[in-house]
PDB file of all heavy atoms in Angstrom:
ATOM      1  N   GLY B1654     144.073 118.701  20.057  1.00  0.00           N
ATOM      2  CA  GLY B1654     144.427 117.293  20.145  1.00  0.00           C
ATOM      3  C   GLY B1654     145.920 117.039  20.157  1.00  0.00           C
ATOM      4  O   GLY B1654     146.685 117.692  19.449  1.00  0.00           O
ATOM      5  N   GLY B1655     146.325 116.080  20.985  1.00  0.00           N
ATOM      6  CA  GLY B1655     147.677 115.558  20.882  1.00  0.00           C
ATOM      7  C   GLY B1655     147.791 114.736  19.611  1.00  0.00           C
ATOM      8  O   GLY B1655     146.801 114.495  18.919  1.00  0.00           O
ATOM      9  N   SER B1656     149.005 114.270  19.315  1.00  0.00           N
ATOM     10  CA  SER B1656     149.225 113.606  18.026  1.00  0.00           C
ATOM     11  C   SER B1656     148.459 112.306  17.876  1.00  0.00           C
ATOM     12  O   SER B1656     148.098 111.930  16.765  1.00  0.00           O
ATOM     13  CB  SER B1656     150.713 113.330  17.834  1.00  0.00           C
ATOM     14  OG  SER B1656     151.435 114.513  17.916  1.00  0.00           O
ATOM     15  N   ILE B1657     148.217 111.601  18.988  1.00  0.00           N
ATOM     16  CA  ILE B1657     147.520 110.328  18.829  1.00  0.00           C
ATOM     17  C   ILE B1657     146.100 110.406  19.369  1.00  0.00           C
ATOM     18  O   ILE B1657     145.446 109.405  19.580  1.00  0.00           O
ATOM     19  CB  ILE B1657     148.285 109.153  19.476  1.00  0.00           C
ATOM     20  CG1 ILE B1657     148.507 109.386  20.964  1.00  0.00           C
ATOM     21  CG2 ILE B1657     149.611 108.913  18.784  1.00  0.00           C
ATOM     22  CD1 ILE B1657     149.075 108.175  21.680  1.00  0.00           C
ATOM     23  N   THR B1658     145.620 111.638  19.603  1.00  0.00           N
ATOM     24  CA  THR B1658     144.259 111.790  20.112  1.00  0.00           C
ATOM     25  C   THR B1658     143.266 111.785  18.966  1.00  0.00           C
ATOM     26  O   THR B1658     142.149 111.287  19.097  1.00  0.00           O
ATOM     27  CB  THR B1658     144.135 113.105  20.903  1.00  0.00           C
ATOM     28  OG1 THR B1658     145.181 113.130  21.866  1.00  0.00           O
ATOM     29  CG2 THR B1658     142.802 113.199  21.616  1.00  0.00           C
ATOM     30  N   VAL B1659     143.656 112.364  17.839  1.00  0.00           N
ATOM     31  CA  VAL B1659     142.747 112.416  16.691  1.00  0.00           C
ATOM     32  C   VAL B1659     143.414 111.766  15.478  1.00  0.00           C
ATOM     33  O   VAL B1659     143.259 112.220  14.365  1.00  0.00           O
ATOM     34  CB  VAL B1659     142.321 113.864  16.371  1.00  0.00           C
ATOM     35  CG1 VAL B1659     141.349 114.365  17.426  1.00  0.00           C
ATOM     36  CG2 VAL B1659     143.516 114.786  16.299  1.00  0.00           C
ATOM     37  N   ASP B1660     144.188 110.690  15.728  1.00  0.00           N
ATOM     38  CA  ASP B1660     144.812 110.010  14.593  1.00  0.00           C
ATOM     39  C   ASP B1660     143.839 108.965  14.034  1.00  0.00           C
ATOM     40  O   ASP B1660     142.712 108.835  14.505  1.00  0.00           O
ATOM     41  CB  ASP B1660     146.153 109.373  14.995  1.00  0.00           C
ATOM     42  CG  ASP B1660     145.949 108.142  15.854  1.00  0.00           C
ATOM     43  OD1 ASP B1660     144.822 107.964  16.353  1.00  0.00           O
ATOM     44  OD2 ASP B1660     146.896 107.375  16.026  1.00  0.00           O
ATOM     45  N   GLN B1661     144.300 108.210  13.054  1.00  0.00           N
ATOM     46  CA  GLN B1661     143.418 107.256  12.382  1.00  0.00           C
ATOM     47  C   GLN B1661     142.871 106.193  13.320  1.00  0.00           C
ATOM     48  O   GLN B1661     141.738 105.743  13.173  1.00  0.00           O
ATOM     49  CB  GLN B1661     144.162 106.588  11.217  1.00  0.00           C
ATOM     50  CG  GLN B1661     144.105 107.381   9.944  1.00  0.00           C
ATOM     51  CD  GLN B1661     142.676 107.741   9.571  1.00  0.00           C
ATOM     52  OE1 GLN B1661     141.779 106.918   9.633  1.00  0.00           O
ATOM     53  NE2 GLN B1661     142.470 108.993   9.191  1.00  0.00           N
ATOM     54  N   THR B1662     143.665 105.782  14.311  1.00  0.00           N
ATOM     55  CA  THR B1662     143.191 104.710  15.199  1.00  0.00           C
ATOM     56  C   THR B1662     141.980 105.184  15.995  1.00  0.00           C
ATOM     57  O   THR B1662     141.133 104.393  16.377  1.00  0.00           O
ATOM     58  CB  THR B1662     144.297 104.273  16.186  1.00  0.00           C
ATOM     59  OG1 THR B1662     144.821 105.448  16.824  1.00  0.00           O
ATOM     60  CG2 THR B1662     145.408 103.533  15.506  1.00  0.00           C
ATOM     61  N   VAL B1663     141.915 106.496  16.254  1.00  0.00           N
ATOM     62  CA  VAL B1663     140.771 107.028  16.998  1.00  0.00           C
ATOM     63  C   VAL B1663     139.662 107.437  16.043  1.00  0.00           C
ATOM     64  O   VAL B1663     138.498 107.093  16.232  1.00  0.00           O
ATOM     65  CB  VAL B1663     141.204 108.226  17.871  1.00  0.00           C
ATOM     66  CG1 VAL B1663     140.002 108.842  18.570  1.00  0.00           C
ATOM     67  CG2 VAL B1663     142.250 107.774  18.883  1.00  0.00           C
ATOM     68  N   LEU B1664     140.024 108.181  14.994  1.00  0.00           N
ATOM     69  CA  LEU B1664     139.011 108.656  14.045  1.00  0.00           C
ATOM     70  C   LEU B1664     138.325 107.490  13.359  1.00  0.00           C
ATOM     71  O   LEU B1664     137.169 107.582  12.958  1.00  0.00           O
ATOM     72  CB  LEU B1664     139.656 109.575  12.995  1.00  0.00           C
ATOM     73  CG  LEU B1664     140.238 110.883  13.528  1.00  0.00           C
ATOM     74  CD1 LEU B1664     140.768 111.721  12.384  1.00  0.00           C
ATOM     75  CD2 LEU B1664     139.209 111.666  14.317  1.00  0.00           C
ATOM     76  N   GLY B1665     139.045 106.387  13.189  1.00  0.00           N
ATOM     77  CA  GLY B1665     138.475 105.224  12.510  1.00  0.00           C
ATOM     78  C   GLY B1665     137.497 104.458  13.378  1.00  0.00           C
ATOM     79  O   GLY B1665     136.793 103.580  12.891  1.00  0.00           O
TER      80      GLY B1665
END
Side-chain angles (χ1 to χ4, degrees):
Chain B
S1656 303
I1657 59 172
T1658 308
V1659 287
D1660 73 345
Q1661 274 307 315
T1662 51
V1663 176
L1664 295 183

